[in-house]
Amino acid sequence: RFQACVYFASVFQAMSCGIHYLASVFMAVTPNFVCGIPGNVSSVLFYNSSESSIEDIWTLWTSTENYIVVQLENGEIWELNQCSRSKREVSLDLAYEYKGNKSKFSCSDGFLYDDTKWKSTVVTQWDLVCDREWLAKLIQPTFMLGVLIGAVIFGDIADRLGRQRVIWFTSAGQFVFGIAVAFTFDYYSFVIVRFLLAMVSSGYLVVAFVYVTEFVGIKARTWASMHVHAFFAVGIMVVALVGYLVRTWWVYQIFLSIATLPFVLCCWMLPETPLWLLSEGRYEDAQKVINIMARWNKVSTPCKVSELCSVQQDDLVRTGDNDTSSTKKHNILDLFCNWHIARRTITVWLIWFTGSLGYYVFSLSSVSLGGNEYLNLFLIGAVELPCYIIACIGMDKLGRRNTLIPFLILSALICVLIMFLPQDFNVLIILANMAGKFSIGVAFGLIYLYTAELYPTIVRSLAVGSGSMMCRVGSVVAPFCVYLRSVWIFMPLLLVGIMALLSGILTIMLPETLGKPLTNTLVEATEIGRNKKSCSGKTPAHSGAALEKIEMFGQEAVSTEK
């Protein structure tokens, strides 16, 4: 009961991470626009359609190559393009086609935007179009850069100061910075506050993975850690719903930020994890938390820290002579100590990068698929919920590698399939993109645990941490990959498909870890899959009571996002 309450309270806030990660898909959208008008308009002409105002023309607008002809009250006739405007030298009659002389001017009077869908976005607020368009395209990459830095900083702080304090700070930070974004006064303050928001959002997600992993028992750990992703996906669905209901960007941002306010108000009630308290030598505080857990769970004889410490001390004495390598300081070069480990590291890094790249390319591109962009994003988020269930079942029944390979290759094949679908078949395209997000989501969720099992104890955290860094690099690259649609509409899918196919092929060379004990040395890790006897080492026998305590509070709690 206690672990369930802590788990659902913690992962509820993970929704806010999904919310802020994908908020820009509607907040930074660029509507149709043309140059501003240097006077009052008397009539508007668009091809054969004549209207009294430009607002009536937007429903007919089909291409960025279009232009609008307007006649001012003083008789002047202007052609309005997206990034320039031209004044006709001869203003005899109002006609769309004109072969005479024209004087070209810049858009010194600002721009006119189509507000039929979005009343206001950050693009229309600060005119992030034409020669300032690159500023709009930097909004999501700079956010993802903050995600990368936040994961590194707060992961380290959580090890030093504890998980509880970081959860408090990052939860409050998400709310404060989320509200602050709505009240920024210019583009640069907007980007800076969003960068800080990205850091605390990423920091929360990293520490939440560690936090729930250290509280949840071994039997439920795989499912519990995997379904933190599911709450992230619910956050994406919330973005679609709020985007549909609210069309002004700063109001939209406020509603998104207050979505998880209940957790901010009660997060101070969450306790520190006993595992971290034990690692810091705070045995009395750890005992207090254990006693609270025992009362909630109605356990009459709670675990005694003194007994647990004596069991662990016995283990250290028993294995101390054979584990001198664990006292050595290890660095990133240990992940390339020999050809087998180096090949494994390169493959794992590529899978992390590809999973993140594909995840965000499918998510960010969903609003450009045609049809209802709000429904598209909602479905892209909803399809993740069953994919993590499939991933858990596949990992337990088929194995880690045997689940990862087909879904990576399947995502590559789906990318190719989408390229051959007729562009006017919107429903098929949306379904294919959902299938692509599903398959890449299975691979993306699976790689966390698989990485932890592929490496020995002495470099396990280093391996997962470096993989997580490659994941962040993929998330930074993803927005730029999506922008390549302007070069060729299928360019993002082509890149994701190539990376997924390459990752799937290289994964064949990785060993299967299902049912095998975690390794402790690089020699043992190298032998996984090569010599079954060397990987089937037996764990020392313990008394039943001591084993239960070690399973509950032991050091095998793998922090999947650290």
Side-chain angles (χ1 to χ4, degrees), residues 36-58:
I37 310 167
N40 297 323
V41 176
S42 61
S43 58
V44 180
L45 186 64
F46 184 74
Y47 287 105
N48 296 324
S49 300
S50 179
E51 304 290 345
S52 58
S53 65
I54 292 182
E55 287 73 16
D56 300 325
I57 293 295
W58 294 125

Side-chain angles (χ1 to χ4, degrees), residues 287-542:
Q287 187 65 61
K288 291 178 182 178
V289 176
I290 292 171
N291 292 339
I292 294 173
M293 295 170 65
R295 287 197 300 271
W296 275 65
N297 296 337
K298 297 181 179 180
V299 176
S300 57
T301 55
C303 172
K304 300 296 183 183
V305 170
S306 57
E307 297 176 8
L308 176 61
C309 291
S310 65
V311 171
Q312 291 177 336
Q313 189 65 34
D314 291 342
D315 290 342
L316 289 175
V317 172
R318 184 183 297 109
T319 61
D321 296 335
N322 300 324
D323 196 25
T324 56
S325 63
S326 63
T327 60
K328 175 188 172 183
K329 294 289 184 180
H330 295 276
N331 56 50
I332 196 74
L333 295 179
D334 289 305
L335 300 180
F336 299 87
C337 64
N338 59 56
W339 165 244
H340 296 286
I341 297 296
R343 184 177 62 186
R344 185 178 304 175
T345 299
I346 293 172
T347 302
V348 167
W349 281 4
L350 184 63
I351 297 170
W352 278 89
F353 177 85
T354 303
S356 180
L357 179 70
Y359 182 93
Y360 287 107
V361 165
F362 279 115
S363 297
L364 296 172
S365 300
S366 62
V367 295
S368 305
L369 298 178
N372 189 310
E373 56 267 35
Y374 305 103
L375 180 60
N376 294 349
L377 184 63
F378 185 89
L379 294 176
I380 285 292
V383 77
E384 285 189 58
L385 302 182
C387 92
Y388 297 129
I389 298 176
I390 298 297
C392 289
I393 296 174
M395 282 194 296
D396 292 339
K397 301 297 183 182
L398 302 177
R400 282 67 160 132
R401 183 188 63 181
N402 296 336
T403 303
L404 186 59
I405 293 172
F407 278 102
L408 281 172
I409 295 178
L410 177 61
S411 61
L413 294 176
I414 291 173
C415 289
V416 175
L417 173 64
I418 295 174
M419 296 182 196
F420 288 96
L421 290 176
Q423 288 301 293
D424 54 346
F425 285 26
N426 286 339
V427 175
L428 284 179
I429 292 175
I430 293 170
L431 291 176
N433 274 269
M434 289 176 62
K437 177 69 178 296
F438 180 94
S439 57
I440 205 72
V442 171
F444 192 31
L446 188 154
I447 191 60
Y448 288 85
L449 182 61
Y450 193 27
T451 301
E453 294 176 340
L454 284 171
Y455 291 88
T457 303
I458 57 176
V459 293
R460 184 170 296 125
S461 292
L462 187 63
V464 177
S466 63
S468 182
M469 287 291 291
M470 293 304 299
C471 166
R472 307 304 173 198
V473 173
S475 65
V476 172
V477 173
F480 293 108
C481 186
V482 173
Y483 297 147
L484 291 177
R485 285 175 60 92
S486 60
V487 178
W488 184 42
I489 191 172
F490 297 124
M491 184 65 76
L493 291 173
L494 178 64
L495 295 177
V496 172
I498 291 174
M499 297 296 292
L501 181 62
L502 180 61
S503 301
I505 293 174
L506 292 178
T507 304
I508 297 174
M509 295 183 288
L510 293 179
E512 180 55 69
T513 59
L514 177 64
K516 295 183 179 179
L518 295 177
T519 56
N520 291 315
T521 66
L522 287 167
V523 174
E524 292 177 3
T526 303
E527 293 298 319
I528 297 179
R530 297 175 60 201
N531 187 345
K532 293 183 179 179
K533 291 183 180 180
S534 65
C535 295
S536 59
K538 296 180 180 179
T539 57
H542 299 282

Side-chain angles (χ1 to χ4, degrees), residues 65-127:
E65 302 299 324
N66 295 151
Y67 64 90
I68 298 174
V69 178
V70 298
Q71 186 172 34
L72 306 184
E73 291 180 348
N74 60 9
E76 294 178 351
I77 298 178
W78 289 77
E79 293 181 7
L80 306 179
N81 295 285
Q82 285 204 320
C83 296
S84 66
R85 57 186 179 177
S86 302
K87 179 183 177 183
R88 295 179 179 178
E89 298 297 337
V90 179
S91 306
L92 296 178
D93 57 344
L94 184 62
Y96 194 76
E97 299 293 338
Y98 177 75
K99 303 296 184 181
N101 295 327
K102 294 183 286 188
S103 300
K104 194 172 184 179
F105 298 90
S106 62
C107 300
S108 56
D109 292 297
F111 300 87
L112 299 174
Y113 297 96
D114 177 9
D115 61 358
T116 54
K117 277 190 176 182
W118 299 281
K119 298 300 180 184
S120 172
T121 71
V122 294
V123 172
T124 63
Q125 180 91 10
W126 296 305
D127 289 336

Side-chain angles (χ1 to χ4, degrees), residues 244-260:
Y244 175 76
L245 297 174
V246 182
R247 307 298 177 89
T248 302
W249 78 267
W250 61 271
V251 180
Y252 161 84
Q253 176 65 29
I254 291 175
F255 272 91
L256 290 178
S257 300
I258 64 176
T260 53

Side-chain angles (χ1 to χ4, degrees), residues 11-26 174 205 227-243 252 255-257 259-260 359 363 374 377-382 384-385 388 437:
V11 298
F12 177 77
Q13 182 68 2
M15 286 196 306
S16 66
C17 300
I19 286 172
H20 294 305
Y21 277 42
L22 273 296
S24 67
V25 294
F26 296 131
Q174 284 187 82
L205 198 58
H227 281 82
V228 176
H229 296 284
F231 283 85
F232 185 95
V234 173
I236 297 176
M237 297 161 67
V238 171
V239 170
L241 179 62
V242 176
Y252 161 84
F255 272 91
L256 290 178
S257 300
T260 53
Y359 182 93
S363 297
Y374 305 103
L377 184 63
F378 185 89
L379 294 176
I380 285 292
E384 285 189 58
L385 302 182
Y388 297 129
K437 177 69 178 296

